């Protein structure tokens, strides 16, 4: 856990690469007065197993927790609004993530090639970057809340065991991008909301088991 003050000053930011390449860290709890976690702040920590972000944190930076091979669970709570690009990229053991209501944006490749098995996106999420969950080859269930207007290019590309993809009935989803579900070879059924306006090129390419849309 990080101290709330250094001297008489509150800790409001964790800078770029401050705790990167540290093989001794096993768990991280960030909260209190901290408002932002910098780019690469905790990347390449091979023994890091759990992360909890709460308190006043609004932004998790690009690659903040990337390439942590042993990371298994992440809780994004408190007031976090933005998860940066590649924030948890290549965390191959990351099986469990809890995302808070209030989260608004997930960056490109934020969870690229992680070990997630299921995913629930809260209603508050409005924006998702390209390839946000690409290559999550253990992911078999996804629920998308009502606030997301577009599923971007390659968002779930090559999620090979993904069988069930739920979209909230009151969804405002309008666009599904190029290659969004391409190579999701286990996907069997998806129900589109009435708000949907466009589906991109090869969005469901090589979805060999898809039977009902």
């Amino acid at each position: 856990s990080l101290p709330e003050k250094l001297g008489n000053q509150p800790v409001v930011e964790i800078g770029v690469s401050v705790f990167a390449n540290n093989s001794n860290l096993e768990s991280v709890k960030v909260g209190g007065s901290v408002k932002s976690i910098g780019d690469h702040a905790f990347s390449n920590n091979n023994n890091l197993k759990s992360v909890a972000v709460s308190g006043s944190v609004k932004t998790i930076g690009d690659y903040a927790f990337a390439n942590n091979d042993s990371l298994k669970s992440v809780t994004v709570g408190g007031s976090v609004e933005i998860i940066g690009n590649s924030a948890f990229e290549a965390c191959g053991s990351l099986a469990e993530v809890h995302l808070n209501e209030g989260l608004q944006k997930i960056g490109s490749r934020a969870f690229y090639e992680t070990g997630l098995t299921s995913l629930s996106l809260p209603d508050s999420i409005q924006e998702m970057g390209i390839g946000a969950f690409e290559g999550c080859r253990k992911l078999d269930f996804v629920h998308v809340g009502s606030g997301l207007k577009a599923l971007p290019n390659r968002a779930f590309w090559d999620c090979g065991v993904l069988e069930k993809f739920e979209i909230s009935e009151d969804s405002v989803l309008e666009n599904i991008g190029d290659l969004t579900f391409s190579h999701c070879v286990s996907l069997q059924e998806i129900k589109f909301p009435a708000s949907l306006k466009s589906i991109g090129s090869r969005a469901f390419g090589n979805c060999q088991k898809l039977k009902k849309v």
Side-chain angles (χ1 to χ4, degrees):
S1 297
L2 296 171
E4 293 196 15
K5 291 185 177 182
L6 290 175
N8 293 321
Q9 299 298 317
V11 177
V12 297
E13 180 181 4
I14 299 172
V16 174
S17 300
V18 170
F19 297 101
N21 302 299
N22 186 331
S23 60
N24 295 314
L25 277 176
E26 294 187 359
S27 67
V28 169
K29 294 181 180 180
V30 182
S33 56
V34 175
K35 294 183 179 180
S36 66
I37 299 172
D39 298 348
H40 297 274
F42 295 92
S43 63
N44 298 297
N45 293 333
N46 291 333
N47 290 315
L48 183 61
K49 295 177 175 63
S50 66
V51 169
V53 180
S54 59
S56 301
V57 179
K58 291 188 178 298
T59 303
I60 297 174
D62 297 347
Y63 296 93
F65 295 94
N67 298 303
N68 289 325
D69 295 338
S70 299
L71 184 60
K72 295 180 178 179
S73 67
V74 170
T75 300
V76 178
S79 57
V80 176
E81 296 176 352
I82 298 172
I83 295 176
N85 299 332
S86 300
F88 296 93
E89 179 173 324
C91 293
S93 298
L94 179 57
E96 186 176 4
V97 61
H98 300 281
L99 302 175
N100 65 298
E101 188 65 43
L103 182 65
Q104 297 176 17
K105 179 181 178 180
I106 297 176
S108 297
R109 293 167 62 106
F111 292 91
Y112 175 81
E113 291 194 350
T114 58
L116 293 176
T117 57
S118 65
L119 174 67
S120 182
L121 299 177
D123 293 339
S124 57
I125 291 183
Q126 300 173 17
E127 184 178 349
M128 182 189 296
I130 292 172
F133 297 93
E134 180 178 339
C136 293
R137 296 182 179 93
K138 297 180 181 179
L139 184 64
D140 63 12
F141 171 78
V142 174
H143 172 81
V144 176
S146 61
L148 192 64
K149 290 186 177 181
L151 286 171
N153 297 351
R154 302 175 69 98
F156 294 93
W157 188 86
D158 198 24
C159 292
V161 300
L162 180 60
E163 293 184 2
K164 189 173 183 180
F165 194 93
E166 282 186 354
I167 302 173
S168 179
E169 290 185 2
D170 56 348
S171 173
V172 296
L173 185 71
E174 295 182 354
N175 303 303
I176 295 175
D178 298 343
L179 300 167
T180 300
F181 296 96
S182 184
H183 296 279
C184 291
V185 295
S186 299
L187 186 63
Q188 297 183 29
E189 181 178 345
I190 186 168
K191 185 178 180 180
F192 300 132
S195 56
L196 188 66
K197 295 180 179 179
S198 67
I199 299 175
S201 175
R202 293 189 57 79
F204 294 91
N206 202 34
C207 292
Q208 299 168 356
K209 294 186 179 180
L210 186 61
K211 297 178 180 178
K212 187 176 181 180
V213 294

